[in-house]
Amino acid sequence: MKLLLTGGTGFIGRELLKHLTTHSVTLLTRDIASAKRTLNHTDLGNIDYIESLDIYNDLNEFDAVINLAGEPIADKRWSAEQKKRICDSRWKVTEKIVELIHASTKPPSTFISGSAVGYYGDQQDHPFDESLKVHQDNFAHTVCDRWEEIAMRAQSDQTRVCILRTGVVLGDGGGALAKMMLPYKLGVGGPIGDGSQYMPWIHLLDMVRGIVFLLETDHAVGPYNLCAPHAVSNATFSKTLASTLGRPHFLMTPKWALKLAMGESSCLLFDSVRAKPKKLTEMGFNFSFPHIDTALKNIVSNAR
């Protein structure tokens, strides 16, 4: 297939490209030279690089589009400026892709676009799947809701749209786990708040396998929870990570301290999201790492 990919130099995108070596990939990037350095060992001659979608009048030449672009949502406090950057980096590129799909006489048959489990907000300890409809006014939901709405405009008899409601992606060499591990390595790890909040996680390998599965499954359409079938509480995750690293697990980070440090974005740590990947599993997708203990053992082993 001939694919258009955005966000290919990010944590998920870099791993995804390793699974797309039999396809021809056009990668949208802000800095071609930097992208080529980042993907030096991944590019087998199947990747072309572009700096703007403005070079296209349509997307007739592409069989599918995978849209993973977006400013990291948890890296900085949510100032007004940062919120705008988060929104613009997701909404504007998605709007442009949809515009080009609509302008195509033979549009891509598949459009896979990012989102996050932040769409659901705090659901306490109640398990749920993709059928849950949410109407909230918090920032994380607003970002995801509009991002999804824009992407779904591309849905037609010629183009199917899949939405990736992504959980916390765990893997070696970056992502959330790299930040989480530091306190444990220093011997000061522990749960966040009382640790009762559920954490929807997914191993990086299952994340990219899930994307490829949706790419290759012609009847896949709509939102999909990209998270492992067994969500765990933050306390369980914390204890398992400490055990895997062979480090202590006794300190608790108080909620007030994180709210003080992170402001509004601390909701990403305290919202309880017990999302189930019902649609994926019912379609026959098998997770390589359905349980947190084996997932963390694999990641820590690879890191060593």
Side-chain angles (χ1 to χ4, degrees), residues 2 9 49 71 103 117 126 129 132 153 161 166 177 183 285 301:
K2 188 164 186 182
T9 59
Y49 301 82
E71 173 84 5
V117 294
H126 306 297
D129 58 38
L132 180 66
R153 295 176 196 166
V161 179
T166 306
L177 190 59
F285 180 79
S301 174

Side-chain angles (χ1 to χ4, degrees), residues 21-299:
T21 54
T22 60
H23 301 287
S24 174
V25 180
T26 297
L27 177 66
L28 176 67
T29 176
R30 288 173 293 186
D31 188 332
I32 291 177
S34 176
K36 286 183 175 180
R37 288 193 298 270
T38 298
L39 302 173
N40 180 46
H41 300 296
T42 305
D43 188 350
L44 302 181
N46 65 313
I47 303 176
D48 291 322
Y49 301 82
I50 60 171
E51 287 184 316
S52 173
L53 292 174
D54 291 338
I55 64 173
Y56 298 117
N57 294 316
D58 56 58
L59 298 180
N60 286 333
E61 67 182 89
F62 295 103
D63 299 302
V65 180
I66 303 174
N67 176 33
L68 304 178
E71 173 84 5
I73 198 166
D75 277 10
K76 299 176 181 177
R77 287 177 69 96
W78 288 348
S79 64
E81 181 181 356
Q82 183 63 9
K83 283 183 175 181
K84 185 176 186 303
R85 189 177 295 115
I86 288 168
C87 293
D88 287 351
S89 65
R90 287 160 173 77
W91 299 346
K92 286 188 175 181
V93 69
T94 307
E95 285 176 334
K96 182 63 177 178
I97 291 169
V98 172
E99 176 188 320
L100 290 170
I101 288 175
H102 285 163
S104 305
T105 54
K106 186 185 175 184
S109 62
T110 305
F111 178 32
I112 298 175
S113 191
S115 184
V117 294
Y119 166 86
Y120 297 110
D122 186 7
Q123 297 297 326
Q124 301 175 1
D125 63 349
H126 306 297
F128 60 88
D129 58 38
E130 295 90 347
S131 64
L132 180 66
K133 304 298 182 185
V134 178
H135 302 282
Q136 299 181 356
D137 59 3
N138 64 73
F139 179 65
H141 171 78
T142 300
V143 172
C144 295
D145 188 47
R146 182 162 180 210
W147 196 8
E148 294 185 13
E149 184 272 325
I150 294 169
M152 289 304 300
R153 295 176 196 166
Q155 179 74 31
S156 72
D157 292 340
Q158 294 177 286
T159 303
R160 63 184 177 91
V161 179
C162 295
I163 302 294
L164 308 172
R165 289 180 180 165
T166 306
V168 178
V169 182
L170 305 177
D172 177 34
L177 190 59
K179 298 175 182 177
M180 294 176 182
M181 287 174 67
L182 182 58
Y184 294 88
K185 290 180 176 179
L186 296 175
V188 293
I192 297 172
D194 65 9
S196 65
Q197 67 274 27
Y198 274 84
M199 173 181 159
W201 64 276
I202 186 170
H203 191 292
L204 178 60
L205 177 61
D206 282 329
M207 179 70 205
V208 299
R209 285 184 57 245
I211 295 173
V212 173
F213 179 83
L214 294 174
L215 178 67
E216 296 175 347
T217 304
D218 291 340
H219 60 282
V221 65
Y224 287 83
N225 290 337
L226 269 291
C227 50
H230 302 288
V232 295
S233 68
N234 176 260
T236 298
F237 172 83
S238 177
K239 186 176 181 179
T240 306
L241 179 56
S243 174
T244 304
L245 294 170
R247 304 301 293 166
H249 174 264
F250 62 91
L251 288 182
M252 180 267 288
T253 305
K255 191 171 183 176
W256 65 264
L258 284 169
K259 281 192 170 183
L260 186 65
M262 298 177 63
E264 186 182 355
S265 65
S266 64
C267 69
L268 298 174
L269 299 176
F270 294 111
D271 282 355
S272 184
V273 184
R274 199 175 178 181
K276 297 286 187 179
K278 181 180 179 182
K279 289 177 66 176
L280 268 180
T281 52
E282 287 186 345
M283 289 171 59
F285 180 79
N286 292 311
F287 285 81
S288 298
F289 298 96
H291 298 282
I292 192 62
D293 54 346
T294 52
L296 289 175
K297 285 176 183 176
N298 172 264
I299 294 166

